[in-house]
Amino acid sequence: MWFPNKILMTKIPFALFAATAAIAVESLACGQTNSATPILNIDASKVTAHVSPTLYGLMTEEINHSYEGGLYGELIQNRIFRDDATEANHWSVVQDSGGTGAISLDESQPIEGTVLARCLKLDAIQASTGHRVGIANDGYWGIPVKPKTTYRLSFYAKSDGSGNGPLTASIESNDGAKVFATTQVPAITSTWQKYTATLTTGDDVTPTAATRFVISTEKPGTLWFNLVSLFPPTYNDRPNGNRIDIMQLLADMKPTFLRLPGGNFLEGRTIADRFPWKQTIGPLEQRPGHSGCWGYGANDGMGLLEFMEWCEDLHIQPVLAVYAGYSLKGEHVDPGPALQPFVDDALDEIEYVTGDASTKWGAERVKDGHPAPFPLTYVEIGNEDFADKSHSYQGRYTQFYDAIKAKYPNLQCINTCGPVAAYPTADVIDEHHYYNAAEQAEIESNRFDTFDRKGPKIFVGEWATREGRMTTNMNAALGDAAWMTGMERNSDVVIMASYAPLFVNVNPGGMQWASNLIGYNALTSYGSPSYYAQKMFNTHLGDSVLSVTSENIPTQTWQPPARRTKPGEPPATPPPPKQIPSLYYVATRDSKQGAIYLKVVNTAGAAQSVQINLKGVSSVAPEGTLVTLSSANPGDTNSITEPTKIVPVTSKATGLGNTFTQTVAPYSVNVLQIETK
Ligand code: AHR
């Protein structure tokens, strides 16, 4: 787990702020300076940069139950019994009204022609009408029950020859007292067969996840089960698809790309644990799953094709990260012949994504049900390879780069290491910036102002202000928004940016990384204040960055935290307090429509009136639109129980013209849409 910002934070002296903004430094007891009215001078005739059309995207990996127990629709946990070799985790035996039975894992009944070697055995010892025996799965913190909902069930089963059946499948309360949906599967043969059915809830059920899924029999005998799968309705009705509510939250952000499949999840803890893309394609029966790297295994139902279809559903491009021979615990593969199989594997992967039916791996994709190749512009070589203490990345990167460019000259290669000078061949450099305090993100928001315009482009492939748990709070949204003003202002250099991590299952044990963008449980999902700040930025974005100069930008005092000490060490002396601006801003213009989007972030706890001077336009409509995200307390947040406590509010802005005053609320992120000609 890396926090590269810790290194980067020290590189940019605070003094740089003085170069880009006029700062009043007189400090009040409350921290906020008492200066003249802040002024923003927008010159629409001066375009300082063109906005990258791919600026705001998404980043994903299997962390915090992002897919399993998250976006991926599957409701059965441990469906192929790979979690543990001895215990059937998440499964239990059902013995009703005197029925008796037992469950166990069984490796003596593999399903031929598949990777499904370990299955669940049910010995129904005493079972009869009204005395059922069965297997129950507790899902991912419950099976979501909603009214009028149809669930698609499939499973493999065989019986011991006594012709066991019919079986009953049901979604029911945890004590079995209440059945929400049920169906029957007629006869189970003595050879492995796949059975399918649907279960539908009634109109009047109250949504709940205090539930389990059960398959039961009322006859004695032995039954074996494998690949037990239950899907709710999915986005675009994909058979192996994604949860609708979470996809909708993503679609609403209007992202332009998806970086996948990691992050650390790409690398794995060891080379053997890396993302095994070839094992994640084809029928689910051929996917053995792998260990993942965030404390739980991956069944890989969300495989390479599903990642691509996820992009397709959002009408965006993948940014495909390929494993580059370095894993988290420090194992690496030396450049040269030993690395070549990994390079070849990456070329195969690119071919699977982009090749037509005449290519080996393109044909595989066609066989997997997707005839059309996917668009692909960017391939990322590895993840956070600055952590490789063997310093082999330069050689590894070059070997991948040369091979990719030789076969796919149009692809752009992303380097994960930098510094820029060491990698003259890098088309794009991926930088990761995590800030533990909003003020750090605010201070760093001018990072790109001085970047060399002739150097490689920057992809901020992971970034976040890490305040709030398990999803971020309003203060994080303020830090994020300030940071985004800097990326947006410099989006001739910063061509892409994706926040991380994207998702968290908020149930106990669901989270591995404390601050995340979107939270959910089995039933519902919500966006954090950071989510809404991003959505506001992305859905109000012109194509040209306009010159904005400022006067009288107030500052406030920030006390940076003391360095953390080891147990037994005396507490460290905190660094001296800093004066930091309390207003951050950027303006872009839609050159076709004329709309100017002025984003102003007020990090102070008091409203601020800002004078806006606008020149370089022939007319300004007196009315515009103001979208504001704010909260009285920067620690406030959204949650499962209060999912929309902090959301953007749209109001009419009046009195606009070439000079006007706009008041921004305390602790607020604002987009002022000004209509101009
Ligand atoms: O976003 C969480 C982790 O942070 C990513 O997996 C890794 O790339 C970074 O260190």
Side-chain angles (χ1 to χ4, degrees):
M1 200 180 298
W2 277 81
F3 304 97
N5 62 299
K6 286 188 177 154
I7 304 158
L8 297 171
M9 276 299 293
T10 59
K11 286 191 186 162
I12 301 297
F14 172 70
L16 271 183
F17 256 114
T20 54
I23 299 173
V25 288
E26 186 196 338
S27 183
L28 296 179
C30 66
Q32 173 83 12
T33 55
N34 182 14
S35 58
T37 303
I39 300 173
L40 298 180
N41 302 303
I42 306 173
D43 187 347
S45 67
K46 266 198 206 160
V47 172
T48 58
H50 290 288
V51 175
S52 165
T54 53
L55 181 57
Y56 295 119
L58 305 170
M59 183 270 168
T60 182
E61 66 175 316
E62 182 57 284
I63 182 175
N64 301 322
H65 288 271
S66 284
Y67 316 140
E68 300 187 17
L71 181 70
Y72 179 56
E74 179 62 80
L75 299 178
I76 303 297
Q77 187 158 190
N78 197 17
R79 68 184 178 188
I80 58 171
F81 314 102
R82 68 170 307 285
D83 272 21
D84 190 285
T86 51
E87 288 293 322
N89 291 347
H90 300 284
W91 292 92
S92 57
V93 65
V94 175
Q95 308 172 92
D96 274 3
S97 315
T100 58
I103 60 167
S104 56
L105 293 177
D106 188 348
E107 296 192 6
S108 70
Q109 307 288 335
I111 305 181
E112 222 169 281
T114 76
V115 298
L116 304 175
R118 186 184 300 143
C119 66
L120 185 65
K121 181 178 174 188
L122 170 67
D123 286 309
I125 299 159
Q126 287 183 25
S128 58
T129 305
H131 308 274
R132 68 175 182 162
V133 173
I135 57 172
N137 186 272
D138 58 11
Y140 292 96
W141 296 273
I143 305 282
V145 167
K146 295 180 186 174
K148 264 174 119 165
T149 302
T150 297
Y151 301 78
R152 281 175 288 114
L153 168 66
S154 66
F155 62 91
Y156 283 84
K158 67 181 254 182
S159 73
D160 58 359
S162 54
N164 210 315
L167 302 186
T168 300
S170 53
I171 304 172
E172 56 185 51
S173 56
N174 282 327
D175 60 4
K178 192 158 185 189
V179 175
F180 299 102
T182 188
T183 190
Q184 288 219 321
V185 181
I188 304 299
T189 66
S190 58
T191 54
W192 283 112
Q193 304 281 346
K194 186 174 182 177
Y195 298 87
T196 60
T198 57
L199 296 85
T200 302
T201 55
D203 300 2
D204 54 348
V205 302
T206 306
T208 176
T211 52
R212 62 183 184 175
F213 172 72
V214 171
I215 304 178
S216 61
T217 179
E218 293 187 326
K219 286 194 184 142
T222 301
L223 289 154
W224 291 266
F225 298 93
N226 215 330
L227 189 47
V228 185
S229 172
L230 185 70
F231 268 79
T234 56
Y235 196 77
N236 282 350
D237 209 19
R238 294 226 186 243
N240 190 41
N242 294 335
R243 241 173 94 160
I244 294 170
D245 58 335
I246 302 178
M247 280 297 277
Q248 195 55 54
L249 281 167
L250 298 181
D252 292 347
M253 290 175 82
K254 302 231 178 311
T256 57
F257 66 86
L258 176 67
R259 173 177 177 243
L260 63 98
N264 291 356
F265 189 62
L266 170 74
E267 301 165 83
R269 282 164 304 189
T270 63
I271 295 172
D273 295 333
R274 68 192 184 277
F275 180 69
W277 76 267
K278 279 180 183 156
Q279 293 176 24
T280 73
I281 56 173
L284 297 180
E285 291 82 347
Q286 305 300 349
R287 302 189 196 183
H290 77 288
S291 62
C293 68
W294 288 103
Y296 59 95
N299 285 290
D300 293 327
M302 174 71 81
L304 182 60
L305 182 62
E306 287 75 21
F307 280 118
M308 295 301 127
E309 290 175 336
W310 171 1
C311 294
E312 188 169 66
D313 283 349
L314 293 179
H315 313 291
I316 62 179
Q317 279 210 14
V319 170
L320 181 65
V322 296
Y323 180 74
Y326 173 77
S327 292
L328 295 165
K329 280 180 154 179
E331 279 183 6
H332 80 279
V333 184
D334 279 326
L339 190 66
Q340 197 51 41
F342 295 89
V343 175
D344 294 341
D345 196 58
L347 293 175
D348 291 348
E349 189 172 3
I350 296 168
E351 188 173 286
Y352 183 86
V353 171
T354 64
D356 63 27
S358 68
T359 63
K360 179 177 171 204
W361 287 100
E364 249 344 274
R365 187 200 63 244
V366 176
K367 203 169 85 192
D368 292 342
H370 201 285
F374 294 96
L376 183 70
T377 306
Y378 295 101
V379 173
E380 178 154 13
I381 300 172
N383 176 60
E384 295 191 343
D385 288 83
F386 51 77
D388 176 4
K389 297 214 170 45
S390 75
H391 304 296
S392 63
Y393 187 60
Q394 186 145 16
R396 292 188 286 108
Y397 174 80
T398 305
Q399 197 169 335
F400 275 85
Y401 177 94
D402 289 347
I404 292 169
K405 288 284 181 175
K407 195 164 174 201
Y408 301 100
N410 292 331
L411 285 181
Q412 299 285 293
C413 290
I414 302 175
N415 178 298
T416 76
C417 200
V420 173
Y423 298 93
T425 56
D427 299 314
V428 181
I429 303 274
D430 181 359
E431 291 192 356
H432 294 177
H433 296 278
Y434 290 104
Y435 299 108
N436 290 331
E439 291 81 359
Q440 293 173 323
E442 292 154 17
I443 289 171
E444 281 288 296
S445 66
N446 65 351
R447 169 175 174 76
F448 302 108
D449 290 355
T450 50
F451 265 46
D452 178 6
R453 267 43 202 175
K454 296 197 189 85
K457 302 296 183 193
I458 301 298
F459 171 29
V460 184
E462 294 179 28
W463 68 273
T465 305
R466 304 187 64 197
E467 287 199 46
R469 183 187 171 96
M470 308 176 178
T471 48
T472 56
N473 61 24
M474 186 64 210
N475 211 35
L478 294 173
D480 288 345
W483 171 253
M484 282 189 285
T485 63
M487 294 197 292
E488 201 166 300
R489 184 169 57 246
N490 292 287
S491 75
D492 54 333
V493 171
V494 180
I495 57 165
M496 297 188 291
S498 45
Y499 183 100
L502 187 56
F503 295 142
V504 63
N505 186 314
V506 299
N507 279 293
M511 180 202 84
Q512 290 81 48
W513 185 276
S515 46
N516 304 283
L517 199 67
I518 291 173
Y520 42 78
N521 60 15
L523 276 179
T524 60
S525 52
Y526 69 94
S528 62
S530 295
Y531 165 86
Y532 286 107
Q534 277 189 55
K535 186 175 157 190
M536 282 168 66
F537 268 60
N538 203 18
T539 54
H540 299 87
L541 186 60
D543 48 40
S544 310
V545 181
L546 304 183
S547 159
V548 185
T549 58
S550 61
E551 298 164 49
N552 309 328
I553 295 296
T555 63
Q556 54 191 356
T557 310
W558 176 54
Q559 174 59 65
R563 179 180 58 82
R564 273 201 207 145
T565 51
K566 293 196 185 116
E569 270 181 14
T573 313
K578 289 183 171 183
Q579 285 297 311
I580 63 172
S582 61
L583 282 175
Y584 300 82
Y585 48 84
V586 64
T588 62
R589 188 179 197 206
D590 179 332
S591 51
K592 284 200 192 89
Q593 306 298 327
I596 291 176
Y597 303 106
L598 173 64
K599 290 159 182 164
V600 180
V601 183
N602 178 15
T603 62
Q608 302 206 58
S609 290
V610 183
Q611 182 183 323
I612 293 156
N613 299 326
L614 178 53
K615 68 176 188 184
V617 290
S618 44
S619 71
V620 181
E623 279 190 1
T625 309
L626 179 68
V627 185
T628 298
L629 182 76
S630 68
S631 189
N633 180 343
D636 286 349
T637 194
N638 294 335
S639 62
I640 289 288
T641 47
E642 289 184 296
T644 54
K645 183 172 174 172
I646 303 170
V647 291
V649 175
T650 302
S651 60
K652 203 186 276 178
T654 54
L656 310 189
N658 289 100
T659 293
F660 61 97
T661 298
Q662 179 65 54
T663 301
V664 286
Y667 303 126
S668 66
V669 178
N670 305 275
V671 181
L672 179 62
Q673 184 169 336
I674 310 166
E675 306 300 339
T676 66
K677 283 198 183 123

